[in-house]
């Protein structure tokens, strides 16, 4: 069974790619998050609204699939991280929404692992800060789409934001590799 199939057994609002992005962020931190803590975060165990499971064995099935992904990420982190934002869609809005979600979950995993973007005063920190700002720009761009009169200009802005995010992501991968 795949992770996506097992996620149907709960009310988690993440899909398999989102979970992977979170795990990549959690493992990228200076002090990577342990797997047991990742489960607590993913399932919102310490919150007032933890994930609800539809069947008694649903959590175990999800944990099994996430563990497989986690172990693979531990072996292939750089390769999988560099490919994280490789999303292609015929629809630019859909593509940027997907990329934005993946970027957000990557940053969430990083932050929950204890790596604060604000505390980093090096190239990695600057790039993470820039990425955070860029993801906000993309969110605003998507939201603006409904109200924009000049759709051509709006689409060009979206293409520009996508190019800039790709460049930023490449720089971040290089900085993380050399850190």
């Amino acid at each position: 069974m795949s992770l996506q199939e097992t996620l149907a057994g709960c009310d988690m609002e993440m899909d398999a790619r989102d979970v992977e992005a979170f795990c990549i962020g959690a493992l990228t931190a200076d002090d990577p998050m342990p797997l047991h803590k990742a489960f607590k975060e993913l399932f919102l165990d310490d919150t007032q609204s933890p994930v609800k499971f539809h069947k008694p064995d649903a959590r175990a099935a999800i944990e099994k699939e996430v563990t497989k992904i986690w172990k693979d990420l531990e072996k292939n982190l750089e390769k999988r991280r560099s490919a994280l934002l490789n999303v292609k869609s015929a629809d630019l809005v859909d593509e940027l929404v997907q990329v934005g979600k993946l970027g957000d979950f990557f940053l969430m995993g990083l932050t929950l692992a204890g790596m604060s973007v604000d505390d980093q005063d090096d190239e990695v920190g600057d790039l993470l800060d820039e990425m955070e700002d860029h993801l906000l720009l993309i969110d605003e761009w998507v939201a603006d789409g409904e109200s924009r009169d000049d759709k051509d200009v709006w689409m060009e802005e979206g293409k520009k934001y996508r190019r800039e995010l790709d460049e930023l992501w490449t720089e971040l991968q290089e900085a993380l590799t050399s850190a």
Side-chain angles (χ1 to χ4, degrees):
M1 195 179 281
S2 73
L3 176 58
Q4 190 61 46
E5 291 169 328
T6 61
L7 288 173
C10 71
D11 67 354
M12 186 186 295
E13 294 187 19
M14 296 169 76
D15 65 24
R17 289 207 63 195
D18 299 339
V19 171
E20 182 177 339
F22 173 86
C23 292
I24 289 171
L27 287 166
T28 295
D30 293 336
D31 185 16
M33 180 186 294
L35 181 57
H36 70 88
K37 184 174 183 219
F39 287 135
K40 285 180 74 168
E41 297 295 350
L42 286 169
F43 299 137
L44 307 172
D45 287 342
D46 295 334
T47 70
Q48 291 186 359
S49 39
V51 171
K52 291 179 180 57
F53 299 93
H54 307 310
K55 293 187 265 180
D57 62 342
R59 182 177 176 133
I62 295 167
E63 285 182 356
K64 180 181 174 187
E65 293 304 316
V66 171
T67 299
K68 285 183 205 172
I69 290 169
W70 191 272
K71 288 181 186 221
D72 183 58
L73 288 171
E74 287 178 322
K75 293 179 205 159
N76 302 300
L77 184 60
E78 285 182 31
K79 180 181 176 191
R80 298 276 295 274
R81 185 179 57 224
S82 70
L84 179 64
L85 300 185
N86 289 351
V87 174
K88 299 295 177 223
S89 174
D91 179 45
L92 182 62
V93 176
D94 179 57
E95 185 174 319
L96 285 174
V97 166
Q98 288 181 55
V99 166
K101 270 184 27 171
L102 294 173
D104 286 343
F105 282 117
F106 167 79
L107 291 174
M108 181 189 300
L110 201 63
T111 302
L112 290 172
M115 190 167 162
S116 171
V117 172
D118 298 330
D119 293 344
Q120 300 287 320
D121 63 348
D122 58 2
E123 182 183 13
V124 170
D126 292 344
L127 291 167
L128 287 169
D129 192 38
E130 220 177 303
M131 181 179 170
E132 207 170 48
D133 292 344
H134 211 77
L135 291 172
L136 288 171
L137 267 177
I138 288 172
D139 285 346
E140 289 172 11
W141 175 83
V142 170
D144 284 350
E146 299 299 317
S147 63
R148 293 287 288 269
D149 290 333
D150 193 342
K151 295 291 184 197
D152 291 339
V153 171
W154 179 72
M155 289 303 280
E156 284 306 312
E157 287 173 359
K159 290 174 186 173
K160 178 182 132 206
Y161 291 152
R162 178 63 170 146
R163 272 191 316 275
E164 290 172 350
L165 183 61
D166 287 344
E167 291 167 10
L168 182 59
W169 188 248
T170 299
E171 286 178 49
L172 179 61
Q173 299 322 299
E174 290 169 4
L176 287 166
T177 303
S178 63

